Amino acid sequence: MTSVQATDVDVPTEDGVADAYLAHPGDGLPRPGVLLYQDAFGLRPHLRSMADRLAEAGYTVLVPNVFYRHGRSPVFELPEFIDPAARPELWEKIVPVMQSLTPELAMRDAGAYLRWMAQRPEVADGPVALTGYCMGARLALRTAGAYPERVAAAAGFHGGQLATDAPDSPHLVAEHVTAELYFGHADADHSMPPEQMERLAGALTAAGVRHRYEVYEGAHHGYTQADTSAYDRAAAERHWAALLDLLKRTF
């Protein structure tokens, strides 16, 4: 554990400027980089606290607002405690914004995030790791496939729609991935049913990708997010153990 220095930063992209949060150990030394991809609710205090926890463990962490085309964070007006069932109108605002972030735009942005990290003195030379939550798990998998030379490891937690029948399903990037992957699926997650778990694992195995996936029993979609009704403390701590273990092996 170490002290953390954190600041809001701006990351230039081909389509504008993404506001972001950067956290790193307070000693100022270059540390392995971690790109943390948000869930659908966006860059907010809870994600900053997650980045701080990774920084305390010795990493330099960037959390970009992937919805920057729709404004600086917070893009959505969120309650302090997020319960989508009690606030269904939230999804009416969030879903169109999510859908507007096409795979092509997301991967163009990913290149900008990775280039920015490579230029920062707080980030050690070499490839980085990725971790993503909900929709961020899809972004992490796609980024590992789009930029294999820049990604050493990637993790996805309670990710949905990772291996669908769609022609642009995230799992189809498997043949391009060289990173080690870890997925922590929620067993009570309708967006990632067992058949998709098996399809994802099969694609990764066929491509020779080092990977592991676990199903967190009793956990729901969003189990890592402490500011939401889906939070599961035991599952969240299990996620931290798995993520830190992956990072330790990677760097």
Side-chain angles (χ1 to χ4, degrees):
M1 303 290 285
T2 184
S3 63
V4 171
Q5 183 175 342
T7 185
D8 293 325
V9 296
D10 286 337
V11 180
T13 74
E14 293 183 37
D15 298 320
V17 176
D19 56 301
Y21 182 74
L22 182 71
H24 56 90
D27 58 16
L29 297 175
R31 300 300 182 94
V34 177
L35 175 58
L36 191 159
Y37 278 124
Q38 65 177 61
D39 62 357
F41 299 122
L43 179 55
R44 60 193 192 280
H46 173 63
L47 290 188
R48 289 180 170 88
S49 70
M50 294 183 77
D52 290 349
R53 183 163 174 173
L54 283 173
E56 288 176 351
Y59 303 96
T60 294
V61 188
L62 179 70
V63 191
N65 166 23
V66 303
F67 296 149
Y68 70 88
R69 292 177 179 83
H70 298 268
R72 299 180 71 85
S73 58
V75 175
F76 311 110
E77 185 177 344
L78 299 170
E80 187 173 338
F81 180 76
I82 304 169
D83 183 356
R87 294 282 302 277
E89 72 276 7
L90 277 176
W91 290 116
E92 296 177 6
K93 299 177 181 179
I94 293 173
V95 170
V97 174
M98 289 178 59
Q99 293 175 337
S100 72
L101 185 64
T102 65
E104 292 76 19
L105 290 177
M107 290 307 95
R108 195 156 75 205
D109 291 343
Y113 305 147
L114 293 171
R115 288 190 298 272
W116 188 88
M117 294 179 76
Q119 297 168 0
R120 295 292 299 196
E122 303 93 341
V123 180
D125 293 338
V128 305
L130 316 171
T131 184
Y133 303 87
C134 301
M135 62 166 283
R138 294 196 296 273
L139 296 177
L141 177 54
R142 290 190 188 280
T143 302
Y147 300 94
E149 74 287 352
R150 291 288 294 126
V151 180
F157 298 94
H158 46 82
Q161 306 298 316
L162 293 172
T164 70
D165 294 324
D168 62 349
S169 175
H171 79 287
L172 297 176
V173 307
E175 62 182 307
H176 305 294
V177 174
T178 59
E180 180 178 350
L181 305 184
Y182 175 89
F183 294 95
H185 301 305
D187 73 341
D189 188 349
H190 297 301
S191 70
M192 192 63 188
E195 56 267 27
Q196 285 199 42
M197 297 180 194
E198 294 171 7
R199 185 180 295 138
L200 174 59
L204 295 174
T205 298
V209 177
R210 293 166 297 155
H211 71 281
R212 179 185 177 196
Y213 85 87
E214 297 180 302
V215 179
Y216 292 20
E217 294 183 5
H220 292 264
H221 184 79
Y223 62 78
T224 62
Q225 304 300 297
D227 60 349
T228 76
S229 57
Y231 180 63
D232 183 317
R233 181 178 178 83
E237 289 305 311
R238 181 177 176 183
H239 131 270
W240 282 114
L243 176 57
L244 292 173
D245 180 64
L246 176 66
L247 296 179
K248 184 178 179 179
R249 292 199 309 275
T250 302
F251 297 116

